[in-house]
Amino acid sequence: MSNTVYKHIEITGTSSKGVDDAIQSAIARASETLRKMQWFEVVEIRGRIDNDKVAQWQVTLKIGFSLED
């Protein structure tokens, strides 16, 4: 049995609906090009304001995936 080695990348998902939707969008998009994703960590939450209202949520994630043998 070998020890698993992970690599992580940082991406930012956006959504006009909310934080959860921004996270789901980021992970869904990453899954199109990454394999063996194992975990994520929210690094930063911020947003954009238009006309004194929240217009967009921006969530930066670290996504960890295991390296292939």
Side-chain angles (χ1 to χ4, degrees):
M1 183 171 166
S2 64
N3 293 327
T4 303
V5 175
Y6 295 95
K7 178 171 179 63
H8 66 85
I9 61 167
E10 198 168 280
I11 63 174
T12 300
T14 62
S15 173
S16 59
K17 296 178 183 176
V19 172
D20 184 63
D21 193 56
I23 293 169
Q24 296 291 343
S25 295
I27 291 172
R29 177 63 181 88
S31 72
E32 293 176 16
T33 57
L34 296 175
R35 293 187 302 271
K36 297 188 176 186
M37 290 189 297
Q38 302 289 317
W39 55 267
F40 75 92
E41 173 186 351
V42 174
V43 177
E44 183 177 30
I45 299 173
R46 61 183 177 276
R48 193 185 70 202
I49 301 169
D50 284 339
N51 298 321
D52 299 328
K53 295 183 180 178
V54 175
Q56 183 183 63
W57 293 93
Q58 302 167 348
V59 181
T60 300
L61 308 171
K62 284 184 183 177
I63 295 181
F65 54 96
S66 57
L67 297 178
E68 295 180 342
D69 294 330

